Short mmCIF file of all heavy atoms in Angstrom, two decimals:
data_model
loop_
_atom_site.label_atom_id
_atom_site.label_comp_id
_atom_site.label_asym_id
_atom_site.label_seq_id
_atom_site.Cartn_x
_atom_site.Cartn_y
_atom_site.Cartn_z
N ASN A 33 211.91 -79.82 -49.57
CA ASN A 33 211.46 -79.63 -48.18
C ASN A 33 212.31 -78.69 -47.55
O ASN A 33 213.55 -78.70 -47.49
CB ASN A 33 211.70 -81.08 -47.50
CG ASN A 33 210.78 -81.08 -46.16
OD1 ASN A 33 210.72 -80.15 -45.39
ND2 ASN A 33 210.25 -82.23 -46.00
N SER A 34 211.75 -77.77 -46.74
CA SER A 34 212.53 -76.65 -46.07
C SER A 34 213.27 -77.16 -44.86
O SER A 34 214.16 -76.60 -44.44
CB SER A 34 211.56 -75.44 -45.72
OG SER A 34 210.48 -76.00 -44.93
N ASN A 35 212.77 -78.32 -44.40
CA ASN A 35 213.43 -78.83 -43.25
C ASN A 35 214.51 -80.00 -43.66
O ASN A 35 214.15 -80.96 -44.25
CB ASN A 35 212.43 -79.55 -42.31
CG ASN A 35 213.01 -80.00 -41.00
OD1 ASN A 35 214.09 -80.56 -40.98
ND2 ASN A 35 212.30 -79.98 -39.87
N GLU A 36 215.69 -79.67 -43.41
CA GLU A 36 216.85 -80.55 -43.98
C GLU A 36 216.76 -81.96 -43.36
O GLU A 36 216.99 -82.84 -44.06
CB GLU A 36 218.18 -79.85 -43.61
CG GLU A 36 219.31 -80.68 -44.28
CD GLU A 36 220.66 -79.96 -44.06
OE1 GLU A 36 220.71 -78.79 -43.71
OE2 GLU A 36 221.63 -80.62 -44.25
N LYS A 37 216.46 -82.07 -42.04
CA LYS A 37 216.28 -83.33 -41.36
C LYS A 37 215.18 -84.14 -42.11
O LYS A 37 215.43 -85.31 -42.36
CB LYS A 37 216.01 -83.19 -39.87
CG LYS A 37 215.94 -84.46 -39.20
CD LYS A 37 215.67 -84.30 -37.66
CE LYS A 37 215.45 -85.65 -37.03
NZ LYS A 37 215.07 -85.47 -35.59
N ASN A 38 214.12 -83.62 -42.28
CA ASN A 38 212.93 -84.29 -42.88
C ASN A 38 213.36 -84.70 -44.26
O ASN A 38 213.00 -85.80 -44.78
CB ASN A 38 211.65 -83.48 -42.92
CG ASN A 38 211.09 -83.35 -41.55
OD1 ASN A 38 211.39 -84.12 -40.59
ND2 ASN A 38 210.15 -82.40 -41.35
N SER A 39 213.98 -83.80 -45.07
CA SER A 39 214.43 -84.11 -46.47
C SER A 39 215.43 -85.27 -46.48
O SER A 39 215.29 -86.12 -47.30
CB SER A 39 215.03 -82.78 -47.06
OG SER A 39 215.40 -83.01 -48.35
N ASN A 40 216.37 -85.29 -45.51
CA ASN A 40 217.28 -86.41 -45.40
C ASN A 40 216.57 -87.68 -45.10
O ASN A 40 216.86 -88.78 -45.79
CB ASN A 40 218.40 -86.11 -44.44
CG ASN A 40 219.38 -85.07 -44.99
OD1 ASN A 40 219.51 -84.74 -46.19
ND2 ASN A 40 220.03 -84.44 -44.03
N ASN A 41 215.70 -87.59 -44.13
CA ASN A 41 214.94 -88.90 -43.83
C ASN A 41 214.15 -89.39 -44.88
O ASN A 41 214.07 -90.60 -45.14
CB ASN A 41 214.03 -88.67 -42.56
CG ASN A 41 214.90 -88.52 -41.26
OD1 ASN A 41 215.99 -88.97 -41.14
ND2 ASN A 41 214.31 -87.91 -40.25
N GLN A 42 213.45 -88.45 -45.72
CA GLN A 42 212.68 -88.88 -46.75
C GLN A 42 213.65 -89.53 -47.89
O GLN A 42 213.31 -90.51 -48.46
CB GLN A 42 211.92 -87.67 -47.31
CG GLN A 42 210.98 -88.05 -48.53
CD GLN A 42 210.25 -86.91 -49.17
OE1 GLN A 42 210.71 -85.77 -49.03
NE2 GLN A 42 209.17 -87.28 -49.78
N GLU A 43 214.73 -88.89 -48.15
CA GLU A 43 215.65 -89.48 -49.15
C GLU A 43 216.13 -90.91 -48.75
O GLU A 43 216.21 -91.78 -49.57
CB GLU A 43 216.83 -88.52 -49.24
CG GLU A 43 217.81 -88.89 -50.43
CD GLU A 43 218.84 -87.86 -50.63
OE1 GLU A 43 218.67 -86.74 -50.51
OE2 GLU A 43 219.95 -88.36 -51.20
N ILE A 44 216.47 -91.11 -47.49
CA ILE A 44 216.95 -92.38 -47.07
C ILE A 44 215.80 -93.36 -47.18
O ILE A 44 215.99 -94.54 -47.67
CB ILE A 44 217.40 -92.31 -45.58
CG1 ILE A 44 218.66 -91.56 -45.54
CG2 ILE A 44 217.52 -93.74 -44.93
CD1 ILE A 44 219.03 -91.17 -44.08
#
Side-chain angles (χ1 to χ4, degrees):
N33 196 322
S34 61
N35 184 324
E36 187 175 345
K37 181 180 176 185
N38 288 345
S39 180
N40 287 339
N41 287 340
Q42 183 183 24
E43 187 173 327
I44 290 167

